């Protein structure tokens, strides 16, 4: 069996404690992908020390030169897209057309970050005194600890790592324990692109090791995507230790379907939003809010289409929906179906574990639709992270938006309508970081701000140039060329 290593200071190294864990293919539990380091404090110390030392030089490399390396990284991601897609599918399950899309997002981010290194703009403003100039610059912050989930094993880390490096920071990256192989390839690609030793380090391991990175006194910033529970804990530690932290956490995204919508389009959008990545996206459509005048007809259309989805191994041609990530997740789905039915929901599609033929080898759950859900039911409020869509009925646009907003999260949202006034009202009133008009809740693009309001995050936006607000801090410079002592607020008034 293949045994993988950590990447620290430009070297592939074994964990100091010599301990490893196995990772399996969620579509086939007999397929063991390999053994991965169970890194611990000694490895964390080594990686942070390497990143700290590399920071001294890396921050002095002209930003456009750093960008040149990221452009090469984009080229290599592009060259390895198919191969990497298969590796990702094998370890986290979604079909290869999706994992290749995931890699494409990293390619886009690499080229985007590379081009931003020629801008990284600050601003200047007139001084209140003569012969004085006021400028401001974006400076790197230092060592960034990056901790991400398995559902986008390349795209989501790329949103953080590539801009962090572009801005002159160094990185200690902990990929999810469910997708460590993708983390290894990430390091191979940045190494080949010429990123110097110590600038990017990868530590493989389980949850507790992430805590060691977060707590480490020499780490200046934490960038996290994952569960609300862990993100909230990270936020608390960073508050206590004065670290900047960017948290991207849960979602309970809704798609509204109005009675004037293009129903075919809205049904296709709902299915892609709900069952793409087996519903395991923070942007997944987990709630559908349908206008009362088209409620029954739309559900019928949706179920007819959902029944045609092909569940299977993501490495097989023709698979629409892959497995869930592990058995625990499968149990969670079973549990939520039971809760929803107990609270009065009506099951119209799926609802159970799939075990026909080869599906028995993995963790497969049928695409599930539960209708007649109301705002007080747990299934309407809590993130499941699986292929379960719940449907509620709305009396009006205002009611639909109220239902959409009656939730602690606020990441993505969508409305299908052909009424331009309704669309603009939704854009204004929906409480979410992202609103789609006539397209599903998934599909963010690398060069636009990405993040959520309310319980989804802590106010930051990845993607677009806004990500540089996370990975830089401001230096303000006053240049006085008057040859006199000019006392601000005093001599000029
Ligand atoms: C995530 O689920 O963590 O918009 C990110 C989308 C993808 C990114 C999802 N581009 O669904």
């Amino acid at each position: 069996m293949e045994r993988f290593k950590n990447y620290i200071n430009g070297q592939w190294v074994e964990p100091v404690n010599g301990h490893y864990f196995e990772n399996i293919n969620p579509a086939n539990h007999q397929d063991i992908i390999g053994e991965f380091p169970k890194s611990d404090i000694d490895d964390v110390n080594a990686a942070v020390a390497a990143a700290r030392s590399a920071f001294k030089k890396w921050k002095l490399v002209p930003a456009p030169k750093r960008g040149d390396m990221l452009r090469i990284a984009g080229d290599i991601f592009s060259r390895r897209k198919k191969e990497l897609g298969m590796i990702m599918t094998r370890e986290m399950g979604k079909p290869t057309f999706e994992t290749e899309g995931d890699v494409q997002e990293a390619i886009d981010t690499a080229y985007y970050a590379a081009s931003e290194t020629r801008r990284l703009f600050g601003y200047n403003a007139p001084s209140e005194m003569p012969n004085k100039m006021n400028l401001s610059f974006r400076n790197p912050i230092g060592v960034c600890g990056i901790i991400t989930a398995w559902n986008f094993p390349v795209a989501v880390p790329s949103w953080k790592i590539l801009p962090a490096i572009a801005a002159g920071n160094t990185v200690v990256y902990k990929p999810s324990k469910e997708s460590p192989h993708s983390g290894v390839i990430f390091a191979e690609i940045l190494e080949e692109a010429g990123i110097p030793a110590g600038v990017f380090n990868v530590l493989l391991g389980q949850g507790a090791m992430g805590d060691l990175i977060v707590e480490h006194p020499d780490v200046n910033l934490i960038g996290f995507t994952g569960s609300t529970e862990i993100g909230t804990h990270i936020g608390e530690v960073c508050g206590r230790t004065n670290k900047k932290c960017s948290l991207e956490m849960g979602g309970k995204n809704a798609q509204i379907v109005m009675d004037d919508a293009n129903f075919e389009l809205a049904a296709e959008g709902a299915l892609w939003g709900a069952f793409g990545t087996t519903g395991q996206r923070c942007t997944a459509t987990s709630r559908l809010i349908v206008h009362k005048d088209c409620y029954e007809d739309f559900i019928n259309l949706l179920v007819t289409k959902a029944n045609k989805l092909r569940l299977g191994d993501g490495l097989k041609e023709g698979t629409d929906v892959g497995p869930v990530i592990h058995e625990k997740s499968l149990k969670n789905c079973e549990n939520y179906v039971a809760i929803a039915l107990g609270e009065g929901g009506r099951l119209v599609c799926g609802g159970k574990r799939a075990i026909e033929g080869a599906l028995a080898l993995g963790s497969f759950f049928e695409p599930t639709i539960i209708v007649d859900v109301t705002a007080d039911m747990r299934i309407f409020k809590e993130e499941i992270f699986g292929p379960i869509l719940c449907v509620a009925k709305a009396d009006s646009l205002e009611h639909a938006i109220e239902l959409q907003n009656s939730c602690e999260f606020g990441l993505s949202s969508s409305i299908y309508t052909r009424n331009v006034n309704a669309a603009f009202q939704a854009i204004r009133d929906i409480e979410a970081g992202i609103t789609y008009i006539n397209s599903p809740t998934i599909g963010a693009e690398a060069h636009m701000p990405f993040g959520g309001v309310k319980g989804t995050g802590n106010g930051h936006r990845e993607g677009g140039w806004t990500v540089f607000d996370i990975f830089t801090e401001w230096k303000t410079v006053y240049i006085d060329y008057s040859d006199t002592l000019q006392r601000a607020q005093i001599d000029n008034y």
Side-chain angles (χ1 to χ4, degrees):
M1 188 191 321
E2 199 171 352
R3 187 173 259 200
F4 292 84
K5 292 180 176 164
N6 287 325
Y7 182 67
I8 301 176
N9 209 15
Q11 306 290 321
W12 293 95
V13 290
E14 288 169 13
V16 173
N17 62 17
H19 295 160
Y20 291 83
F21 68 96
E22 286 182 357
N23 192 28
I24 57 167
N25 177 346
N28 177 358
H29 298 164
Q30 290 161 2
D31 177 23
I32 301 169
I33 294 159
E35 287 184 331
F36 297 88
K38 234 187 204 174
S39 305
D40 209 334
I41 188 68
D42 294 326
D43 313 294
V44 172
N45 284 338
V48 173
R52 171 63 48 207
S53 161
F55 178 57
K56 288 194 204 113
K57 283 195 187 155
W58 184 241
K59 69 179 175 187
L60 300 179
V61 173
K65 286 267 165 258
R66 300 194 293 251
D68 289 344
M69 295 178 211
L70 293 176
R71 198 168 296 107
I72 296 170
D75 293 342
I76 304 168
F77 271 116
S78 200
R79 189 189 81 217
R80 297 188 66 177
K81 182 171 167 178
K82 275 214 169 309
E83 171 216 348
L84 181 49
M86 297 212 322
I87 288 171
M88 292 155 75
T89 296
R90 186 174 167 215
E91 66 180 357
M92 58 68 65
K94 65 187 176 186
T96 50
F97 68 88
E98 286 200 42
T99 45
E100 285 172 25
D102 191 318
V103 179
Q104 184 59 45
E105 227 168 310
I107 297 167
D108 299 341
T109 302
Y111 293 148
Y112 180 72
S115 62
E116 281 297 305
T117 57
R118 290 191 177 265
R119 304 198 319 143
L120 282 179
F121 53 81
Y123 65 95
N124 53 52
S127 168
E128 60 189 45
M129 284 173 288
N131 298 319
K132 194 176 168 194
M133 188 184 281
N134 296 355
L135 308 171
S136 66
F137 298 89
R138 286 178 185 273
N139 275 351
I141 293 179
V143 177
C144 303
I146 303 294
I147 300 173
T148 55
W150 45 267
N151 62 333
F152 275 81
V154 168
V156 169
S158 82
W159 292 355
K160 304 173 198 295
I161 292 164
L162 303 180
I165 288 176
N169 301 285
T170 56
V171 168
V172 174
Y173 169 44
K174 179 202 168 293
S176 162
K177 68 180 189 311
E178 314 297 344
S179 57
H181 196 178
S182 301
V184 168
I185 308 286
F186 212 111
E188 283 177 14
I189 289 176
L190 293 198
E191 181 179 45
E192 188 186 337
I195 299 291
V199 171
F200 180 62
N201 306 275
V202 177
L203 290 176
L204 305 173
Q206 295 169 315
M209 189 267 290
D211 243 356
L212 300 175
I213 297 175
V214 176
E215 292 271 5
H216 201 292
D218 246 0
V219 172
N220 306 96
L221 179 153
I222 299 294
F224 171 80
T225 295
S227 73
T228 302
E229 189 194 345
I230 295 174
T232 305
H233 165 70
I234 289 176
E236 283 167 6
V237 176
C238 290
R240 170 160 54 75
T241 53
N242 287 324
K243 286 185 182 129
K244 191 171 185 182
C245 77
S246 153
L247 305 172
E248 197 55 62
M249 303 178 286
K252 190 73 191 171
N253 316 289
Q255 174 181 318
I256 296 173
V257 181
M258 294 302 292
D259 55 345
D260 59 12
N262 174 337
F263 297 126
E264 277 289 324
L265 189 69
E268 275 171 28
L271 293 181
W272 173 228
F275 303 125
T277 322
T278 323
Q280 302 169 113
R281 292 193 189 209
C282 49
T283 52
T285 309
S286 53
R287 300 182 295 155
L288 200 58
I289 299 166
V290 183
H291 191 275
K292 63 175 177 5
D293 292 346
C294 58
Y295 186 75
E296 290 301 337
D297 287 348
F298 189 74
I299 288 169
N300 289 339
L301 178 65
L302 196 67
V303 172
T304 310
K305 285 182 182 289
N307 282 329
K308 293 191 185 128
L309 292 173
R310 288 156 300 183
L311 196 57
D313 184 340
L315 289 169
K316 291 223 171 78
E317 191 72 27
T319 295
D320 297 310
V321 181
V324 294
I325 190 67
H326 43 42
E327 288 292 296
K328 208 169 127 206
S329 170
L330 204 101
K331 296 246 153 48
N332 187 47
C333 291
E334 284 173 342
N335 198 20
Y336 268 103
V337 170
I339 292 170
L341 300 188
E343 287 183 334
R346 179 161 55 97
L347 183 69
V348 291
C349 183
K352 58 182 193 315
R353 175 180 197 142
I355 46 165
E356 306 81 54
L359 297 183
L361 296 172
S363 308
F364 289 92
F365 199 81
E366 295 171 346
T368 296
I369 303 175
I370 297 173
V371 304
D372 300 348
V373 164
T374 50
D376 53 323
M377 288 167 60
R378 284 184 60 189
I379 197 162
F380 195 75
K381 296 192 277 204
E382 297 171 18
E383 185 174 43
I384 302 173
F385 228 65
I388 301 181
L389 175 67
C390 70
V391 188
K393 193 190 284 183
D395 300 331
S396 62
L397 175 65
E398 288 70 21
H399 184 214
I401 294 175
E402 189 188 312
L403 285 171
Q404 139 75 48
N405 291 343
S406 68
C407 151
E408 69 167 302
F409 302 110
L411 179 54
S412 189
S413 57
S414 146
I415 181 167
Y416 280 75
T417 177
R418 284 189 276 207
N419 176 338
V420 70
N421 293 351
F424 276 93
Q425 194 173 327
I427 292 169
R428 187 193 60 198
D429 294 340
I430 287 177
E431 295 167 358
I434 306 169
T435 295
Y436 290 90
I437 307 298
N438 293 324
S439 62
T441 61
I442 67 177
E445 300 176 25
H447 56 292
M448 298 300 286
F450 180 94
V453 302
K454 304 201 285 192
T456 291
N458 64 340
H460 295 287
R461 291 292 181 273
E462 301 179 317
W465 60 262
T466 46
V467 72
F468 291 101
D469 285 338
I470 302 174
F471 291 106
T472 59
E473 56 194 354
W474 290 99
K475 161 67 74 74
T476 305
V477 179
Y478 298 101
I479 306 165
D480 191 322
Y481 52 99
S482 69
D483 245 358
T484 52
L485 172 65
Q486 303 195 83
R487 294 176 301 174
Q489 295 94 36
I490 297 171
D491 291 335
N492 48 340
Y493 287 105

